[in-house]
Every structure is written in structure tokens, then in C-alpha cells.
């Protein structure tokens, strides 16, 4: 079989048209749909490339001509929506530009329930599946033989053949530790949720890495418990009772950090004068209600959702997904709880 024959049997994608015309895939979609601003000369070049390649519209592009609305199935395990909602908002904005709808289902972290929804999605002929989690945790893959692209957001797949988009927890924790050191605080304590959770392990390792780079160590053994204010209060009381000298507390969540600041205030410890406190999440309910308002690490959840959606859109259009974990930068949000005079 000749190369020409092989090429004729391979479905031409919007990516091929984009490469021939020297533009992006999104520009091809805009030109073919007639929606969005594309220069006349550029549009004519794209149409000519499509004709030369005998481009047959498919998936996203086909919906622009037939009026069929593409659909993404979403499975979430976040019952409370605190993390999923901002992720979905980012995804919705990206998908809306391509007139793609969402069907949301609550998998509750139950594999059997998730498979029921997957089967339901396939019967509905969805064009892709987005799986969102409740935090920085790994999870099992749905299954490897699905006929539609799947992208995981927040909770990443343990199967390295899958595509996942997550906040860069490790670099976020390193940023928190560097921030504390930059304020002159070197006697640090680390308080987190359950030790078994990936988020706890990653954030602790990153914190200790930054300290080791300055020949420092945590002044108290790491404390692991629940992702709650109650645990934050309990943990910092243990530190106070130990008698160890400390001037900063790195908390692996804002809920824990708020509990820490409350307990320190009740113990007449000045925050941030005597002890600085930083959280993780940038959950507005926690950081703004805390006294003083909490410095924290924003996990860029909106950007996580947007990036996951863009990966799905590209896969629907081209049939290709880049495997592995893509990490989105977290951002430091300094507030009064770590300020210095």
C-alpha cells in the first residue's frame, strides 16, 4: 500500500487543516462555523486547505454544521461542590465557546455507581467524559477501553495512559514555605489532614524540601488528623503543650488554618505578631472569616477546569489526548496572618 493510499484512509482532522493553513485549531473551528472573528483572507485560506485535504467535518466541527449539540458527561465525587464548582465553572466557560453542553452526575467515589453513569453516557452518545475529584487524591481509571476521550481533573488517574489536570500541590507548598521564610519565620510547624492522603504527603515533602535547602527542620513532628477546623484547634494545642518554640504554622488547608488561628487567639498568642499562619485552598469562606484574614495558596481551580475542558475539546476534534499529568501553577495570596511589622 502506498503512502498516498495510507493517508487517504486516515481521517483528516481539523488539526491537519490547521497545519496546512498555518493557523490554530480554534481558528479553523471559528472559520468553518462562521462564528467568531476571523480575517477574510485567513478564512479563505482555511476553506481552501479543507477542500484540498477533503476534510470531512466530525465531532465538534460537525456540530457546527448540523446543529447537533456536543455533550460532555461529568462524573464528580465532591458531594459538597467546594472544589468541583470552581473547576466546573472554568470548564463551562471553555466548553461554551464550542457550544458543548454538560451532563453532571454524582459518582460519590463509588466505582459501581461511576460505571453505571459511564454506561448511561455512552448510551447518550456523549462526546467525552470529564472526571472531577474532591481534592489532591489519586484514583483508579474508569476503564481503558472507552470509545470517547476521558480527562481527569483534581483527582488524577493512577493509569499513566490517562490524561489528568491538577493543581501543582508540591510547588504550592514550596511557595508557602518560602513565603514563611521570607517573613523571617524559621521555627515552623506543619499541620495537615490524614497522613494517607496524597495531598498531605506531597505538601509535607515539599515543605521539608524547602527547609532542608536552608539547613532547617520542622521544630515539631508533623501533625496529621482531619481536614477540619476542630483538628486545627486540637493540633496547635498539642504544639503549645509541648513547650516547643515556634513562630510559624504551615497548614495544608484553610479549614485547619482557621482552627489554628482561633486556638492561638484563645491562648493569647498574637497572630501574626508572635506566630504567622498560612493555609492552602484560598476558600473565601475560611480565609475572609478568619481573624486575622488568612494568607493562603490558591489552587487555580478555574484554570484547572479550563485546561481539562480544552484537552477534551482538542481530543474530540483530533482524536488525540496527551497522556500523563498536567500540573497548573498555584498562586500565593498573602494576607494579614503572615504580615510583618
Amino acid at each position: 500500500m502506498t503512502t498516498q493510499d495510507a493517508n487517504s484512509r486516515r481521517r483528516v482532522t481539523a488539526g491537519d487543516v490547521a497545519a496546512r493553513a498555518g493557523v490554530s485549531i480554534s481558528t479553523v473551528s471559528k472559520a468553518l462555523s462562521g462564528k467568531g472573528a476571523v480575517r477574510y483572507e485567513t478564512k479563505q485560506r482555511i476553506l481552501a486547505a479543507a477542500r484540498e485535504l477533503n476534510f470531512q467535518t466530525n465531532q465538534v466541527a460537525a456540530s457546527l454544521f448540523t446543529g447537533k449539540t456536543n455533550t460532555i458527561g461529568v462524573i464528580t465525587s465532591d458531594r459538597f461542590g467546594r472544589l468541583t464548582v470552581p473547576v466546573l465553572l472554568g470548564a463551562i466557560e471553555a466548553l461554551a465557546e464550542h457550544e458543548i453542553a454538560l451532563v453532571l452526575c454524582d459518582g460519590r467515589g463509588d466505582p459501581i455507581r461511576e460505571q453505571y453513569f459511564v454506561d448511561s453516557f455512552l448510551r447518550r452518545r456523549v462526546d467525552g467524559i470529564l472526571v472531577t475529584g474532591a481534592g489532591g487524591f489519586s484514583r483508579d481509571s474508569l476503564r481503558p477501553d472507552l470509545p470517547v476521550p476521558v480527562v481527569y481533573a483534581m483527582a488524577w488517574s493512577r493509569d499513566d495512559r490517562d490524561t489528568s489536570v491538577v493543581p501543582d500541590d508540591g510547588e504550592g507548598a514550596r511557595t508557602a514555605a518560602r513565603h514563611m521564610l521570607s517573613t523571617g519565620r524559621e521555627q515552623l510547624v506543619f499541620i495537615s489532614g490524614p497522613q494517607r492522603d496524597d495531598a498531605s504527603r506531597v505538601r509535607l515533602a515539599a515543605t521539608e524540601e524547602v527547609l532542608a535547602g536552608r539547613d532547617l527542620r520542622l521544630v515539631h513532628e508533623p501533625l496529621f488528623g482531619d481536614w477540619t477546623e476542630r483538628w486545627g484547634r486540637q493540633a496547635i494545642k498539642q504544639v503549645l503543650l509541648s513547650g516547643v518554640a515556634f513562630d510559624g504554622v504551615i497548614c495544608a488547608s484553610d479549614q485547619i488554618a482557621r482552627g489554628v488561628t482561633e486556638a492561638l487567639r484563645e491562648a493569647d498568642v498574637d497572630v501574626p505578631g508572635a506566630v504567622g499562619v498560612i493555609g492552602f485552598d484560598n476558600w473565601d469562606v475560611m480565609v475572609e472569616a478568619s481573624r486575622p484574614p488568612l494568607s493562603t495558596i490558591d489552587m487555580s481551580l478555574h484554570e484547572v477546569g479550563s485546561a481539562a475542558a480544552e484537552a477534551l475539546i482538542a481530543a474530540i476534534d483530533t482524536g488525540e489526548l496527551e497522556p500523563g499529568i498536567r500540573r497548573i501553577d498555584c498562586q500565593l495570596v498573602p494576607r494579614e496572618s503572615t504580615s510583618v511589622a
Side-chain angles (χ1 to χ4, degrees), residues 33-51:
S33 68
K35 299 179 181 180
V38 179
R39 294 179 57 188
Y40 176 80
E41 296 82 359
T42 302
K43 182 174 182 179
Q44 293 306 307
R45 191 165 73 250
I46 291 170
L47 292 175
R51 286 192 296 270

Side-chain angles (χ1 to χ4, degrees), residues 98 119 127 204 225-227 254 258 276 281 287-288 307 324:
H98 297 264
D119 293 337
D127 301 285
L204 172 60
D226 300 317
W227 299 105
D254 290 336
R258 184 177 177 187
D281 293 341
V287 297
E288 295 173 7

Side-chain angles (χ1 to χ4, degrees), residues 1-12:
M1 183 170 60
T2 67
T3 301
Q4 183 176 358
D5 291 334
N7 288 337
S8 68
R9 294 191 178 188
R10 184 178 72 84
R11 180 175 64 85
V12 177

